[in-house]
Amino acid sequence: MRARAGVIACAAALLLSACATGERTWSEAMDRGYPPAPAQRVPTSAEEATEAVPVAELAHPRWLAETAERTGIPRRALAAYAGASLRLAETLPQCGIGWNTLAGIGAVESIHGSYLGAGVEDDGVVSPPIIGIALDGSEGVMEILDTDEGELDGDVRWDRAVGPMQFIPTTWGDYAQDGNLDGRTDPHQIDDAVLTAALYLCESGDDVTTDDGWQAALGAYNRSVSYARDVAELATSYADPAA
């Protein structure tokens, strides 16, 4: 399975999303060319999965091995996608977010944390850190002055999208989750980043198993129609009907 490459600077789209989330009907979205919602898949869970377990340990090891082999997604990244969908199935069951949608976003944003030679370490930290372009108002880019004093993105003049799921600092500050239960939140740690993305999508789309909900969620993450099509295509290709 070959994922489409290229980190997308979704930070600017995130900033624009608040006024649009939930305001469009599905028919309006279809007029703009948004795809229908791909089937959402929740993986097989390990035994005794609870909220006290880090998300990377929630999916069954056999499922992880078989799905990583089938899709070509690195197992450590897959564990984060799978675990985040299982966690949200516990905490926000009405949302229905699937691991395959999270994997589709992760593929488009950072090639599962491998963009430009980066990699996901055993502890889930992506190294070297994936930092997006400066959001400096140049052509095709929003102007977002620094909001975090460079703490997350290393830039004290402009904000930049950070991590394998490409969050801007302000959005990270509003939604950050501790996926690996180490007592801190880090956008460069894939469990934290994917769980945060899952929560953001669920709060933006409510029920992402529906066309309206999925479009609202993806529109909040990135307003680009082509982005939504790429994620939908990847999510569909990753989905296992037998899961």
Side-chain angles (χ1 to χ4, degrees):
M1 175 72 209
R2 294 186 60 189
R4 292 183 177 172
V7 173
I8 296 175
C10 72
L14 282 168
L15 191 69
L16 289 170
S17 67
C19 64
T21 300
E23 292 181 359
R24 297 192 193 93
T25 64
W26 175 244
S27 61
E28 290 170 332
M30 286 292 288
D31 289 342
R32 295 189 62 202
Y34 275 86
Q40 300 301 299
R41 302 297 186 192
V42 178
T44 304
S45 63
E47 294 181 7
E48 301 180 1
T50 71
E51 289 188 47
V53 177
V55 296
E57 299 176 15
L58 291 176
H60 196 285
R62 180 179 297 174
W63 182 92
L64 282 175
E66 293 175 350
T67 305
E69 174 66 23
R70 177 177 62 81
T71 62
I73 299 172
R75 181 165 174 161
R76 186 61 184 83
L78 180 61
Y81 304 138
S85 68
L86 285 165
R87 175 69 80 235
L88 269 294
E90 294 177 312
T91 59
L92 288 175
Q94 72 276 15
C95 172
I97 186 72
W99 72 267
N100 53 312
T101 282
L102 297 170
I105 292 173
V108 174
E109 295 292 357
S110 69
I111 321 176
H112 309 303
S114 69
Y115 183 67
L116 289 180
V120 184
E121 306 291 344
D122 290 343
D123 63 1
V125 174
V126 175
S127 180
I130 297 173
I131 308 290
I133 61 173
L135 301 175
D136 58 5
S138 57
E139 185 175 359
V141 177
M142 282 200 67
E143 180 178 310
I144 309 176
L145 291 172
D146 174 61
T147 61
D148 68 336
E149 298 182 346
E151 180 181 356
L152 298 178
D153 56 18
D155 191 332
V156 297
R157 185 176 182 187
W158 307 105
D159 267 351
R160 297 170 181 256
V162 297
M165 302 301 276
Q166 290 288 279
F167 280 98
I168 56 170
T170 52
T171 305
W172 181 259
D174 288 340
Y175 290 91
Q177 298 293 299
D178 181 8
N180 63 345
L181 303 181
D182 67 350
R184 58 191 296 266
T185 56
D186 180 0
H188 301 290
Q189 203 280 337
I190 198 165
D191 304 322
D192 292 0
V194 175
L195 186 60
T196 299
L199 177 65
Y200 184 79
L201 291 163
C202 285
E203 293 202 356
S204 300
D206 190 26
D207 180 357
V208 302
T209 66
T210 67
D211 291 338
D212 282 326
W214 195 86
Q215 182 273 327
L218 266 290
Y221 212 94
N222 190 305
R223 294 285 289 274
S224 165
V225 173
S226 63
Y227 179 94
R229 289 174 178 169
D230 286 346
V231 172
E233 180 181 340
L234 286 161
T236 298
S237 69
Y238 288 148
D240 180 4

